Amino acid sequence: MSTEAPKREAGARTFSSRTDLPAIHEAWLPREHSLHRPRHGGRQLVSLICAAVFFATPLVALTLGVRPAEFENRRLIPFPSPGAGWDFLTGLDPWASDHLVFRDAAVHAADGISRGLFGEPPPFDQHSPRTGPIGVNPRPETPVDIAVPPVIEGKEGWMYLGDDVVTRCRPANSLDFVIGQLRRLRDG
């Protein structure tokens, strides 16, 4: 009994019993072969170099002693606990964003480009749906007729919360109700 696969009709290819694919990589096949797939030498090399620079720069900076800076008036987000279940995976993204070594310089560069090139402050809330690079949709908790951004930039670097403006325009309780509650508190 023979261990080879049975031969096919005249002119047909023969295949081994283990695999139907050639034993060499498809990039090494002759150009005329139907399975030939050329390597993308120049583009692949540029992509690999860019990826190496992107991932190696923060690692080299960390080994040289450069540490992430706290520049947003809050502490850096701590590494999520592996015992937190699925929260571990969802906590990795904000932790990684906070611990990028040159993040503060990148944020300041984006601010400078936005103000210098486009003449406007950069968008503060990029997670909400937007109508365009400048226009802002109304926030879900605000009435439809009032479109207020989450942060309003004032003069001389002052920042105001957009929700504070909305509550001034559309208070949740009437003035008489608030005064009545204050009188009850004083009498109590």
Side-chain angles (χ1 to χ4, degrees), residues 97-162:
S97 294
D98 260 10
H99 286 80
L100 284 174
V101 178
F102 299 114
R103 183 170 174 260
D104 57 336
V107 168
H108 293 303
D111 182 58
I113 290 170
S114 182
R115 290 175 192 280
L117 194 59
F118 302 111
E120 64 182 21
F124 294 106
D125 184 16
Q126 295 187 2
H127 296 292
S128 65
R130 304 177 71 81
T131 57
I134 298 175
V136 177
N137 285 337
R139 299 193 51 191
E141 63 270 3
T142 61
V144 178
D145 60 339
I146 300 176
V148 178
V151 177
I152 300 171
E153 188 172 354
K155 294 180 181 177
E156 298 178 9
W158 281 84
M159 305 289 239
Y160 302 94
L161 292 175

Side-chain angles (χ1 to χ4, degrees), residues 56-67 101:
T57 301
L59 292 175
V60 169
L62 279 172
T63 57
L64 294 176
V66 179
R67 298 289 178 244
V101 178

Side-chain angles (χ1 to χ4, degrees), residues 5-17:
K7 300 265 183 193
R8 299 194 182 182
E9 295 178 54
R13 292 191 292 175
T14 60
F15 298 99
S16 68
S17 61

